[in-house]
Amino acid sequence: MSTIDGGATLGETRSSAVVGVEEPKRPPRSRRRMREIGLAYLLLLPSLVIFGVFIFYPFLRNFYLGFYRTPPFPGLPMRYVGFDQYRDVLTSTDFLDSVKTTVLFMIMTVPAGIALGLGLAVLAHQRLKGIGVYRTIFSSTVATSVAVASVIFGTLFNPVVGLLPWLGVNPRPPILDNPQWALPAVALVTIWQTLGLTFILMSSGLQAIPDEIHEAARVDGAGAGTRFWKITIPLLSPTIFFAVVIGGIFAFQTFGQIDLLTQGGPLKKTNVLTYFVYRTLRTENNDGKAAVLAVALFTITMTLTLVQMRFLERRVHYGR
Amino acid sequence: MAAELPRPSSAGRTRARHLTGLAARYLLLTVLAIIVIFPLYITIVNSLLTPGQIAARPPKFFPLHPQWDTYSRAWDVGHMSRYLVNSAIVTAFITVGQVVTATLAAYAFAFLEFPFKRTLFVVFLATLMVPFEVTIITNLTTVTSLGWYDSYQGLAVPFLATGFGAFLLRQAFLQVPRDLQDAAELDGYGHWRFMLRVAVPLARPAMAALSVFAFLGAWNQYLWPLLVTKDDRYRTVQIGLKQLRATSIDQVNVTFAGVMIAALPLVILLLFFQKQLVRGLTAGAVKG
């Protein structure tokens, strides 16, 4: 460290300048510049190495892998097939169903999750004695992981020991084996697990809205409903927008819930895209096909995010 | 919403209405709180019951004779102690790594001038657009060929740097007053000393937020640990839960105890670092 420390010092030029006009003692300007540049690259290096090896290289290699068919038995060479594999995989029923399932899952989780988080945040945004306890409870699910939530709910759904069947929610076949109910059930787990995070997001958004605006509106005779729709929602729109975008990205990354609760079934009804990639990689050992799916996963997520930014952000009210 | 002063004339009636409203609010809040907390509550209760009691109908909502030994069974027989240690090691490794690499990179972006600065910054931001799920195919190959399958390195190294962290800390470093930089120069501070003695301490809130954020992300990881570990000795607690559930299929109580053990570190984090947690989670959200 000391060599570098002595190298590109902030101080050496300045201190000499203060003492007097000992200009010649200052290292040549270009050398100082070179040291600063060298230091900068040195500081960026660790991050760039990680990014290069574990993000950019594997990302780009997907496109390449997609051109090669993985042999049915390990040891045989990969076969170059051009765009054939892209075409085959992207037009397959399995893929299209998987995209449909993922979009459906997003529609089930994002709007409901945000509405619940926002509702709780508005309710907890009151000056009441003991409100802190409620806030802690409403944010409590951030302390759970996807695995924790899935194992808890998996047991609650269990047809023998579960509480949900006892409460009368007991379809045949059991919820998680039921083609109609499995996906909504996983969505419910997800909404609960992310509720704490959504609540925290919405609460901090609400806290950023100055009380005076509400006061002024109240003085002008605006009721609670008017204030909610005309003040809270517009001023909170950047936070809501953020939650929608992140929620969409999360939905396309859904994995743990599926692995722990349904393994993509029944009848592939919960075979979301990330789980499909995993299965193709792990069970089929088919790197080529998995790579095509990964490229699709990336493209869809990216497009979705850009579309949301394009069309939603226009309706977002920034600034004051 | 502050209580409004009741008008003297109809004081009694206004007061009564006020109290009713207050009671209604508390009632609504309490009902919602019970619904939200119920899954966690029943997990605690079930972890203290016997399997027979859990299956009993009507169910028990309070453990009259708590079976504390369930926890020691999950801890020992269910290997939760091992999983917990693994998670702690990997999480610490990732959190410290992310904070260090982000600090270094953010310092360069905030305080130094160099060619391709803008381009490199865009490269950092571009990493945020590639979901990790998209990279697993080649990463699995890479980690395996490095001999890192079933190892702490394999679990942690791919996550030692983040664009998000560099971005967050750069924002914080840019707030460091120019005067301080000049003063440090006068005192003959080099870049390293300025970083460690001035910039880092001033950016402490952002660093705390990043730490909590990194901790949470690392602790909750599921897909990657599932992919790169097979050996119980390296399984993290999230994957351990899957294992525990499979091995204690006739002992739901042990699974529930395992769930509580897995959740406890984050509960503690939430209770003691609520402010940093909120800041970390909302860092990206506030304003555009």
Side-chain angles (χ1 to χ4, degrees):
Chain A
M1 183 168 130
S2 61
T3 51
I4 304 156
D5 210 342
T9 46
L10 285 165
E12 56 190 36
T13 47
R14 242 341 162 76
S15 50
S16 60
V18 168
V19 173
V21 262
E22 297 158 279
E23 284 291 314
K25 273 193 182 168
R26 181 196 283 191
R29 186 133 205 94
S30 63
R31 238 181 86 203
R32 228 175 85 77
R33 275 290 293 147
M34 289 308 285
R35 277 191 188 143
E36 185 173 329
I37 293 169
L39 176 65
Y41 289 145
L42 186 73
L43 295 178
L44 296 181
L45 191 67
S47 297
L48 288 174
V49 169
I50 300 282
F51 293 160
V53 176
F54 294 106
I55 296 179
F56 293 119
Y57 166 65
F59 170 68
L60 294 172
R61 193 158 168 268
N62 281 336
F63 293 91
Y64 160 84
L65 280 175
F67 290 125
Y68 290 86
R69 249 197 244 287
T70 308
F73 305 103
L76 296 175
M78 301 218 301
R79 192 158 56 86
Y80 178 82
V81 291
F83 282 98
D84 282 10
Q85 181 161 243
Y86 280 95
R87 198 196 48 226
D88 293 352
V89 173
L90 299 182
T91 56
S92 66
T93 344
D94 275 356
F95 170 72
L96 296 173
D97 283 350
S98 177
V99 172
K100 214 161 69 187
T101 302
T102 316
V103 171
L104 210 57
F105 184 75
M106 183 176 77
I107 294 170
M108 286 177 188
T109 51
V110 179
I114 291 175
L116 285 174
L118 176 60
L120 291 182
V122 169
L123 276 175
H125 191 64
Q126 318 185 41
R127 259 176 249 128
L128 285 178
K129 205 171 269 175
I131 197 73
V133 177
Y134 293 101
R135 286 202 187 125
T136 304
I137 290 177
F138 293 152
S139 37
S140 65
T141 73
V142 276
T144 67
S145 63
V146 166
V148 163
S150 302
V151 173
I152 293 177
F153 274 83
T155 318
L156 291 177
F157 291 152
N158 185 292
V160 181
V161 298
L163 286 181
L164 216 59
W166 177 70
L167 285 171
V169 186
N170 199 11
R172 301 262 140 228
I175 305 168
L176 292 174
D177 301 322
N178 191 310
Q180 208 182 337
W181 287 105
L183 195 65
V186 178
L188 177 73
V189 179
T190 308
I191 291 173
W192 181 78
Q193 198 260 323
T194 50
L195 189 62
L197 174 61
T198 323
F199 172 78
I200 289 176
L201 266 181
M202 296 298 158
S203 291
S204 59
L206 284 180
Q207 270 153 27
I209 301 175
D211 282 344
E212 297 86 61
I213 300 183
H214 277 288
E215 281 311 317
R218 208 207 307 261
V219 170
D220 287 348
T226 314
R227 275 181 283 139
F228 178 75
W229 289 109
K230 302 281 178 186
I231 297 175
T232 308
I233 291 290
L235 287 180
L236 206 59
S237 55
T239 311
I240 297 173
F241 170 69
F242 176 79
V244 170
V245 173
I246 291 292
I249 295 174
F250 274 8
F252 272 86
Q253 296 174 355
T254 301
F255 176 77
Q257 302 92 307
I258 307 293
D259 185 57
L260 283 160
L261 293 174
T262 60
Q263 287 88 46
L267 304 174
K268 297 186 179 169
K269 287 289 184 200
T270 59
N271 191 30
V272 293
L273 214 39
T274 299
Y275 191 73
F276 194 16
V277 176
Y278 169 81
R279 276 299 275 264
T280 310
L281 182 66
R282 248 306 137 83
T283 320
E284 296 177 31
N285 281 315
N286 193 334
D287 284 22
K289 183 179 166 191
V292 174
L293 291 172
V295 169
L297 175 61
F298 169 76
T299 313
I300 296 174
T301 317
M302 193 73 198
T303 313
L304 181 78
T305 310
L306 291 178
V307 167
Q308 283 174 334
M309 291 197 165
R310 178 99 176 67
F311 289 99
L312 285 180
E313 195 160 31
R314 250 193 276 158
R315 319 191 64 186
V316 168
H317 183 283
Y318 284 114
R320 359 208 81 186
Chain B
M1 275 143 232
E4 277 150 41
L5 285 176
R7 246 178 277 155
S9 54
S10 57
R13 202 153 18 113
T14 317
R15 199 174 150 68
R17 204 190 304 150
H18 176 71
L19 280 179
T20 323
L22 204 63
R25 281 188 210 166
Y26 274 117
L27 186 68
L28 182 61
L29 281 166
T30 306
V31 168
L32 290 169
I34 289 174
I35 295 174
V36 170
I37 205 71
F38 181 77
L40 283 175
Y41 172 76
I42 202 70
T43 303
I44 300 174
V45 171
N46 283 354
S47 71
L48 297 171
L49 295 173
T50 64
Q53 288 173 317
I54 295 175
R57 298 286 103 119
K60 299 211 180 314
F61 292 107
F62 192 80
L64 281 179
H65 308 284
Q67 312 282 313
W68 295 105
D69 66 307
T70 320
Y71 279 85
S72 63
R73 295 227 303 279
W75 186 258
D76 297 327
V77 187
H79 304 298
M80 287 307 281
S81 51
R82 180 74 254 170
Y83 301 142
L84 215 53
V85 168
N86 289 342
S87 272
I89 291 173
V90 173
T91 303
F93 199 0
I94 293 179
T95 307
V96 172
Q98 283 193 11
V99 170
V100 170
T101 57
T103 304
L104 300 180
Y107 187 88
F109 285 126
F111 296 112
L112 301 176
E113 284 308 322
F114 52 93
F116 304 112
K117 185 170 168 177
R118 285 184 72 90
T119 316
L120 283 166
F121 192 60
V122 172
V123 167
F124 269 65
L125 291 185
T127 61
L128 298 175
M129 294 195 240
V130 182
F132 183 77
E133 288 72 13
V134 166
T135 63
I136 55 173
I137 302 153
T138 300
N139 278 343
L140 182 59
T141 318
T142 307
V143 161
T144 311
S145 63
L146 285 168
W148 288 357
Y149 193 89
D150 272 330
S151 76
Y152 293 131
Q153 304 92 287
L155 287 163
V157 171
F159 306 98
L160 291 185
T162 62
F164 169 75
F167 181 73
L168 191 72
L169 294 188
R170 173 184 166 267
Q171 297 295 98
F173 285 160
L174 288 176
Q175 310 289 315
V176 174
R178 184 74 221 178
D179 296 356
L180 274 179
Q181 241 175 298
D182 293 343
E185 274 187 44
L186 281 177
D187 287 345
Y189 273 39
H191 277 296
W192 289 98
R193 198 135 66 104
F194 180 67
M195 182 197 298
L196 296 173
R197 297 271 182 80
V198 182
V200 165
L202 284 176
R204 222 165 17 206
M207 308 210 54
L210 174 62
S211 308
V212 173
F213 189 80
F215 184 99
L216 213 59
W219 187 267
N220 288 343
Q221 269 196 20
Y222 187 86
L223 173 57
W224 185 244
L226 186 67
L227 267 177
V228 297
T229 59
K230 212 173 229 144
D231 193 325
D232 255 1
R233 281 176 305 166
Y234 293 100
R235 291 240 131 147
T236 58
V237 83
Q238 311 294 337
I239 314 301
L241 276 185
K242 183 183 183 177
Q243 211 81 357
L244 180 69
R245 192 182 59 167
T247 51
S248 55
I249 211 145
D250 52 342
Q251 296 176 315
V252 202
N253 52 345
V254 176
T255 308
F256 278 117
V259 166
M260 286 317 297
I261 293 173
L264 205 61
L266 290 193
V267 172
I268 293 169
L269 189 77
L270 176 70
L271 289 178
F272 291 98
F273 296 95
Q274 205 164 3
K275 213 172 77 190
Q276 287 82 353
L277 183 76
V278 170
R279 200 169 321 156
L281 292 175
T282 54
V286 191
K287 291 277 138 61

